[in-house]
Amino acid sequence: MDIEIRHAEPEDYRAVQGIHAQPRVVWGTLQVPFPSLDSWRKRLEGNPQTLCSLVASVEQEITGSLALWRHSNSPRRRHAAELGMAVHDAWQGRGIGAALVGAALDLADNWLDLRRIELTVFTDNTPAVHLYEKHGFEIEGTLHGFAFREGRYVDAYAMARIAKGGGAAAAP
């Protein structure tokens, strides 16, 4: 299977919205059911300089999306960004997530000068935790009662990957 990774374009909004409408995607992310087409159109049209949006496709079908963004304009946090990802329910477990994360980390390490990539993942999303660990992310802590999902509060892990080498030397 040939997975193509590319920059998300504004005209991808219908496919990206469709991914985020999937039950497992809603379960595994902070999205709520019934995402609006208009909200996804606006997200993809208004990408700021601090955001890198990618999509994965197989035979022209968009199967996953990933965002890598800097939250802060602080010069002391320019080395850090957050990652969020979703893979269409029908394509989970088939290498889409690994391809997206791999492409994002290549951008972070070799093009964007990002040393620290952060993410939050629900503790019961074992496949996602395993995927992130395979890409060098480590659990830094547990966020108890992090989000409301399916009528109850659930925990999440704060995970991060620190790039080896590059950039300034690590603090003692």
Side-chain angles (χ1 to χ4, degrees), residues 133-169:
E133 288 176 334
K134 281 177 50 176
H135 282 88
F137 286 84
E138 296 180 7
I139 296 170
E140 295 187 327
T142 302
L143 307 167
H144 299 284
F146 177 73
F148 194 69
R149 182 185 72 195
E150 297 179 324
R152 66 184 186 92
Y153 289 97
V154 293
D155 297 344
Y157 291 130
M159 297 184 78
R161 175 201 173 258
I162 310 294
K164 306 293 187 247

Side-chain angles (χ1 to χ4, degrees), residues 15-97:
V16 173
Q17 181 266 356
I19 289 168
H20 287 87
Q22 297 297 301
R24 290 234 8 115
V25 171
V26 171
W27 178 87
T29 66
L30 289 175
Q31 302 299 313
V32 293
F34 317 114
S36 141
L37 270 173
D38 190 52
S39 69
W40 279 103
R41 181 184 53 76
K42 288 177 183 172
R43 281 188 198 191
L44 292 180
E45 285 176 350
N47 283 348
Q49 291 290 333
T50 58
L51 175 67
C52 179
S53 293
L54 302 176
V55 292
S57 64
V58 176
E59 296 181 8
Q60 308 301 318
E61 178 185 351
I62 294 177
T63 56
S65 67
L66 180 143
L68 185 65
W69 67 97
R70 287 186 172 115
H71 276 297
S72 174
N73 289 326
S74 168
R76 296 179 67 184
R77 289 280 292 158
R78 282 192 196 134
H79 68 290
E82 188 164 345
L83 182 147
M85 180 176 65
V87 174
H88 192 287
D89 286 8
W91 289 92
Q92 291 183 13
R94 297 172 66 183
I96 305 298

Side-chain angles (χ1 to χ4, degrees), residues 112-131:
L112 302 177
D113 194 23
L114 293 171
R115 184 154 193 260
R116 178 181 171 83
I117 307 299
E118 304 165 342
L119 62 86
T120 306
V121 60
F122 292 123
T123 58
D124 58 359
N125 192 346
T126 306
V129 172
H130 180 68
L131 170 69

